[in-house]
Amino acid sequence: MSRTSRFEGRLLLAPLTAFLLALLGFPLLLDVVYSVSRVGFENIRAPELTGLANYAKAIADPGFWSAAWFSLRFGLIVAVIQVVVGLMLAVFLAPLFARRPWLIAFMMLPMMVAPALVGLMYRLILHEFVGAVPYYLLEIYGDFPAFLGRDWAFTTLVVVETLQWTPFALLILHSSYAAISPDVREAAALDGARGRRLFVYIDLPLMLPAIGITFFIRFIDSFRVFDNLYTLVGPGAGGSTTSMSIYIYQAFFKVGDIGLAVAASMLLLAASFVVLWLINRLTARKAPL
Amino acid sequence: MTRLQTLLTSAAVLAVLGAGPALAEVTVLGWPGGPEEAGLRKAAETYNATASDADKVKLIFFNRDGFFDKLAADLAAGSTEFDINLLATYALGRYAPFMDPITLPEADKATFPEKVLATMQYDGKQYGIPTDLSLHFMYYRSDLIDKLKSDASWKAKYGEISKKYLGKALEPKDPDAWTWEDWMATALFFTKSINSDSPTRYGTVLQMKNLLFNMMVWHSAARAQGGDWMNDKGEITVDSPAYRAALDIYKKLYDAGTSPKDSTTYEFAEANAAFGAGQAATMLQWNAAFGDLDNKDKTPAVAGKIGTVAPPAGPAGRFTHIHGLGLGINKASKNKEGAAKFLNWLGTPDAMEVYAKAGGSPALSDAVVAKVSAERPDLVKLGQYAGAYGFVMHGGTAAKALQVYELQAKEFTAYWSGDKSLDAALAAAKTGMAELLKP
């Protein structure tokens, strides 16, 4: 490459680099400084350096690990359910979608509501004195569970998250299922593959990349759950429904310990990099195949 | 003039025209989602009807959850998005460095009693107009309590239930003479799952969400048992028999089913919904709830059938948590003159009359409260109870008082919900408070 072309390349990349440095680099640098400082709202412009004390505090805090476990459990369970339900819907409703494609837009409606509003909506629906669900359960069965109470809150949250975001899984998996060439299915059918065997040995392997991507997107999104959880049950009695996002929010805004909040988010960032590195490594190993 | 120059000139003219009124406007950041908001909206509407365009008031609100921390962040960052902002007694020390003291006109000084003005004073300076005084009432269904006091079979059943659940046979009393034990007995009696004859599903509705304001409500019970945050030596004293007794009052009532199952997610609005539906016989609640609950259009099931008294008495006496909300001037405001003009007006008897009639809860001097007492009889009690039973926990105005409330909310709701033992919850609260309240 000539010197002129290198210069032109750098020149063309300069705006993007400046944009990334300004919007990602500067906040990251500020976060690093805050994470090693004693900083609250009152001295936000003059943080006092304290080394790794915030990281030690986060790691020693049982609340941090409890929140991490909540998010991990919630993210995994919700992602698995959404992928399974989304896959079932994509396959079983495929003939219907082929005849009436507008139904897909109808199925996407839950995704278009802001998660915070979804939380508020279910808070009303499930409230004992104004909600429809407890009312009818009481009329029919004479009792109802405490949907937002300690024993049911997690299940309620999983159901609410699944109802809102399964359409996302459905959308991707439907596209993937519809993209499988009819020739492949026809060839398999000539070899005697039908029904379940056709799905398990032909469709499913071809859809695996889409299933993997859907799972990871939904896992990441559910792991960082905040809006609907916060409006529906908040951090929960004794912090029982505190996700990592709520832990960081509370440390930052409610306790005013900005250093701890930022250190916790930096630890989360580091964990994300480790996971990404592992995924990259696994993908790289499979690439030659 | 080229086309570009024409466009630029037009844009500049439009920008100046548009920016003019906006800069002069007074923006008020108020307390959202309750009768305080309704009161402020009406007051602003009244003020704007006669104010010049340059002095007109615009109101903004953000969510009640985390309000004070978001406000602290905005104030510390020197935000100019609002000229006037909310103040609370328990956060005065935290906000004072970012606010301007105000000078009250003589007319305003006559609107409020001296003690009430003092709820907005810090370091000898007045920082705000005390728009609302908050304390707790014990709300009860007067129709049900009247029957309980007169019906022989109900009295007998009351005695049986109190014997079974509290270990002693009690007799129904007038709510103004209740001890916490009498209230517990009443809550048990009016719980359908305990007494099938109860006309209400629950005897009470407890606010047990992990939320700092719910701790303030519960503190009226804690103080009546003799509980305090710290002693005169500055030692944390929450791990005391008094705190244990008060925590057990809620725990026993919740476990017995006297409060809705979802009470661990209940706060102000949810509790009002339960009481307003006519399905809870009693409720320890902020005084601000009275206006809506006694309104026939809003809560027809209970309006006109509500009695209010000060919280019950305990071994240490009768107490109610007390704090003031008010409005003061943001130090970074670009329209301090307009802001002061509005606050001076807001402190007048006429403005407070509008504010009170629209739902606000100001504690007013006798002469002013007389004008609204027919429509807001609760405001008369407000002043009386504040003087007789009001208290602030030792350390309750410290810079990190709100964090203490947050900590207690987390630990004590863990105990109430069964996630932690009483010893573990109190130990965690004590350790955390020692850190937060250290000099």
Side-chain angles (χ1 to χ4, degrees):
Chain A
M1 192 184 280
S2 70
R3 185 177 286 183
T4 315
S5 342
R6 274 206 303 272
F7 174 74
E8 282 172 354
R10 284 173 185 166
L11 193 67
L12 287 169
L13 276 175
L16 179 65
T17 310
F19 178 81
L20 288 174
L21 279 175
L23 290 187
L24 292 176
F26 175 69
L28 187 65
L29 187 68
L30 198 63
D31 279 352
V32 171
V33 173
Y34 280 167
S35 73
V36 292
S37 307
R38 193 188 65 76
V39 55
F41 291 110
E42 289 75 15
N43 67 335
I44 202 160
R45 288 178 180 174
E48 178 192 325
L49 289 176
T50 54
L52 298 176
N54 289 322
Y55 289 96
K57 193 174 173 184
I59 289 168
D61 182 7
F64 173 80
W65 294 109
S66 161
W69 171 236
F70 179 92
S71 288
L72 187 67
R73 196 162 56 111
F74 184 76
L76 283 173
I77 291 173
V78 163
V80 167
I81 295 175
Q82 288 178 12
V83 167
V84 170
V85 176
L87 185 62
M88 285 169 65
L89 289 172
V91 172
F92 289 122
L93 298 181
L96 190 63
F97 289 149
R99 285 197 302 275
R100 295 181 178 82
W102 56 267
L103 274 176
I104 295 173
F106 183 74
M107 300 286 279
M108 296 301 114
L109 283 177
M111 276 199 315
M112 294 170 195
V113 184
L117 289 182
V118 170
L120 281 177
M121 190 175 79
Y122 280 101
R123 194 167 165 182
L124 282 175
I125 289 173
L126 300 175
H127 189 280
E128 182 173 342
F129 301 100
V130 293
V133 175
Y135 175 81
Y136 284 111
L137 287 177
L138 192 66
E139 287 288 308
I140 298 166
Y141 300 106
D143 199 10
F144 55 88
F147 291 104
L148 304 180
R150 175 177 167 266
D151 297 335
W152 277 79
F154 188 82
T155 309
T156 304
L157 286 165
V158 167
V159 171
V160 169
E161 181 82 356
T162 302
L163 286 173
Q164 183 173 21
W165 291 108
T166 298
F168 178 84
L170 168 65
L171 185 68
I172 296 186
L173 297 174
H174 166 70
S175 306
S176 165
Y177 188 69
I180 297 172
S181 166
D183 297 345
V184 178
R185 287 203 182 104
E186 199 177 310
L190 284 172
D191 289 337
R194 295 277 189 282
R196 192 174 63 85
R197 281 171 67 85
L198 183 69
F199 177 71
V200 172
Y201 294 107
I202 304 297
D203 293 339
L204 205 54
L206 288 170
M207 289 176 77
L208 269 183
I211 290 172
I213 288 168
T214 309
F215 175 82
F216 277 111
I217 292 176
R218 289 315 314 144
F219 170 72
I220 291 166
D221 220 17
S222 304
F223 184 90
R224 60 187 179 86
V225 62
F226 181 85
D227 320 40
N228 50 4
L229 169 56
Y230 200 77
T231 51
L232 193 59
V233 288
S240 56
T241 50
T242 302
S243 66
M244 271 308 286
S245 302
I246 289 184
Y247 176 86
I248 291 167
Y249 170 83
Q250 287 199 301
F252 196 105
F253 282 105
K254 296 211 162 187
V255 183
D257 194 343
I258 295 174
L260 173 68
V262 177
S265 62
M266 294 301 284
L267 287 171
L268 191 60
L269 184 70
S272 309
F273 272 120
V274 170
V275 173
L276 277 175
W277 177 76
L278 282 173
I279 292 169
N280 269 339
R281 207 169 160 193
L282 284 171
T283 318
R285 275 186 186 173
K286 286 193 172 181
L289 295 172
Chain B
M1 193 181 268
T2 64
R3 184 179 288 179
L4 180 64
Q5 282 172 324
T6 311
L7 277 172
L8 287 173
T9 311
S10 309
V13 169
L14 283 172
V16 168
L17 287 174
L23 281 174
E25 209 170 45
V26 177
T27 306
V28 181
L29 174 61
W31 185 229
E36 299 89 352
E37 180 180 334
L40 188 57
R41 283 191 186 280
K42 190 68 186 172
E45 190 185 311
T46 309
Y47 179 76
N48 285 343
T50 54
S52 68
D53 281 349
D55 289 334
K56 285 204 190 307
V57 162
K58 185 178 92 178
L59 304 179
I60 55 171
F61 299 93
F62 45 62
N63 197 293
R64 197 179 270 221
D65 231 352
F67 182 97
F68 293 103
D69 300 296
K70 285 180 265 185
L71 176 59
D74 278 353
L75 286 172
S79 172
T80 54
E81 292 299 312
F82 48 87
D83 305 291
I84 293 174
N85 60 270
L86 187 88
L87 264 181
T89 305
Y90 45 79
L92 267 174
R94 193 177 179 193
Y95 298 147
F98 311 108
M99 297 187 70
D100 272 354
I102 58 173
T103 309
L104 287 176
E106 285 306 312
D108 291 9
K109 285 182 184 168
T111 310
F112 307 98
E114 193 55 43
K115 269 189 179 178
V116 175
L117 285 174
T119 62
M120 290 288 117
Q121 289 166 1
Y122 179 75
D123 211 13
K125 293 171 189 160
Q126 189 78 32
Y127 276 89
I129 297 283
T131 51
D132 297 88
L133 192 75
S134 292
L135 47 73
H136 304 134
F137 287 163
M138 177 59 78
Y139 291 77
Y140 63 92
R141 286 280 300 279
S142 52
D143 54 332
L144 302 182
I145 298 297
D146 286 346
K147 186 175 175 189
L148 176 62
K149 287 192 293 181
S150 58
D151 188 303
S153 64
W154 276 29
K155 278 185 181 177
K157 186 90 176 176
Y158 184 93
E160 284 169 28
I161 289 172
S162 56
K163 175 80 179 164
K164 182 178 173 187
Y165 286 87
L166 302 174
K168 56 175 110 165
L170 298 172
E171 287 214 5
K173 284 186 199 163
D174 186 89
D176 209 19
W178 276 352
T179 61
W180 286 94
E181 214 165 35
D182 292 316
W183 172 59
M184 289 175 78
T186 309
L188 290 160
F189 176 82
F190 283 112
T191 298
K192 198 90 173 171
S193 60
I194 292 170
N195 172 15
S196 56
D197 295 333
S198 169
T200 56
R201 204 181 298 163
Y202 300 105
T204 190
V205 51
L206 303 170
Q207 297 173 61
M208 300 165 77
K209 185 178 179 178
N210 179 356
L211 184 73
L212 68 98
F213 303 109
N214 291 346
M215 281 301 103
M216 295 177 183
V217 177
W218 171 78
H219 275 166
S220 292
R223 188 54 174 264
Q225 307 301 316
D228 206 342
W229 285 8
M230 53 167 74
N231 59 23
D232 290 337
K233 293 178 195 163
E235 295 162 340
I236 305 299
T237 56
V238 290
D239 188 8
S240 64
Y243 251 71
R244 287 170 184 272
L247 284 165
D248 270 339
I249 289 174
Y250 266 41
K251 176 78 172 160
K252 275 181 189 161
L253 289 177
Y254 181 61
D255 288 351
T258 66
S259 186
K261 296 173 191 173
D262 280 350
S263 296
T264 48
T265 61
Y266 277 22
E267 51 180 301
F268 184 81
E270 284 84 0
N272 285 348
F275 191 82
Q279 292 298 338
T282 66
M283 171 175 69
L284 183 62
Q285 178 63 294
W286 297 98
N287 57 293
F290 184 83
D292 280 357
L293 288 174
D294 204 39
N295 183 321
K296 282 191 167 57
D297 296 326
K298 290 180 178 170
T299 42
V302 298
K305 295 184 279 191
I306 301 172
T308 55
V309 290
R318 197 172 187 185
F319 292 97
T320 173
H321 163 98
I322 181 174
H323 70 249
L325 293 179
L327 293 169
I329 298 177
N330 175 7
K331 190 178 258 180
S333 162
K334 290 188 173 167
N335 189 9
K336 291 181 186 175
E337 195 185 326
K341 218 182 262 186
F342 175 65
L343 288 184
N344 287 345
W345 174 82
L346 190 64
T348 60
D350 289 347
M352 276 295 119
E353 191 181 332
V354 171
Y355 186 79
K357 284 180 177 171
S361 298
L364 303 166
S365 57
D366 291 347
V368 183
V369 83
K371 293 181 187 173
V372 295
S373 60
E375 287 177 56
R376 294 291 307 277
D378 57 312
L379 294 189
V380 180
K381 283 185 180 175
L382 189 72
Q384 290 170 357
Y385 291 173
Y389 311 118
F391 78 92
V392 177
M393 287 284 187
H394 194 165
T397 53
K400 293 198 172 173
L402 282 173
Q403 284 95 321
V404 172
Y405 283 113
E406 294 281 1
L407 172 68
Q408 291 193 1
K410 185 185 172 201
E411 296 303 331
F412 297 162
T413 55
Y415 170 60
W416 289 331
S417 68
D419 272 347
K420 263 190 180 177
S421 70
L422 181 56
D423 286 339
L426 283 171
K430 188 176 180 179
T431 308
M433 284 175 67
E435 180 66 27
L436 289 167
L437 295 174
K438 69 183 174 191

